[in-house]
Amino acid sequence: METMWLLCVAAAVLAWGFLWVWDSSERMKSREQGGRLGAESRTLLVIAHPDDEAMFFAPTVLGLARLRHWVYLLCFSAGNYYNQGETRKKELLQSCDVLGIPLSSVMIIDNRLSYLRLMCLSEAQGPQQHTPVSQSSDYSSLGMG
């Protein structure tokens, strides 16, 4: 009777040990696969201005590079507010190079002509009356209701 009980305990311990080793090896596989994302994982970083990638997203970009993501960057302005657009573009490209974003994966949309058209239209229409959102009791005055 004692031998049978001892065999049952030994079988239970062996089964538990086997399941524990198998489970930990499966967890290790999923961790390795999570870190091996490679060329199939792509990330598009969309920013409004040059330097946003460094000021706000540098840790994220570096982490994605560590996980082997392909990072692409789309910037919607050349930062030409003080006529420094060319300098800001160069700084953006240098920053992307430091962060590991290939220059072929960077696109800067510098649409000054559309901005100038918008400014000319708004000047031609004259001053607009705007209702501050904080003073509006509903959104109907803003064309949202």
Side-chain angles (χ1 to χ4, degrees):
M1 184 72 166
E2 248 181 66
T3 309
M4 187 61 120
W5 183 80
L6 192 57
L7 283 174
C8 286
V9 169
V13 168
L14 284 173
W16 177 80
F18 172 76
L19 290 174
W20 183 77
V21 169
W22 178 75
D23 183 52
S24 61
S25 71
E26 287 297 315
R27 277 190 263 151
M28 289 297 282
K29 283 181 191 174
S30 65
R31 263 191 233 143
E32 288 171 3
Q33 288 170 350
R36 237 186 340 199
L37 297 173
E40 295 177 12
S41 298
R42 293 176 175 87
T43 302
L44 174 63
L45 178 63
V46 180
I47 60 174
H49 314 100
D51 81 9
D52 288 357
E53 81 291 345
M55 289 178 57
F56 305 114
F57 302 109
T60 302
V61 171
L62 293 171
L64 290 169
R66 197 172 324 124
L67 292 173
R68 298 184 186 133
H69 278 244
W70 286 99
V71 179
Y72 298 87
L73 185 128
L74 175 61
C75 182
F76 280 107
S77 165
N80 199 33
Y81 189 72
Y82 294 109
N83 293 325
Q84 298 177 338
E86 291 305 314
T87 303
R88 301 289 305 276
K89 283 181 187 180
K90 288 177 188 172
E91 291 171 350
L92 174 65
L93 294 174
Q94 289 171 346
S95 175
C96 288
D97 188 39
V98 169
L99 291 171
I101 301 172
L103 299 183
S104 62
S105 299
V106 177
M107 178 180 273
I108 302 169
I109 298 176
D110 185 14
N111 203 350
R112 287 184 233 164
L113 191 56
S114 292
Y115 176 74
L116 291 174
R117 276 192 218 137
L118 181 65
M119 293 304 292
C120 290
L121 280 174
S122 65
E123 287 177 10
Q125 291 176 353
Q128 301 287 323
Q129 290 288 11
H130 296 286
T131 304
V133 175
S134 60
Q135 295 178 1
S136 176
S137 59
D138 64 356
Y139 295 109
S140 60
S141 64
L142 301 173
M144 300 172 73

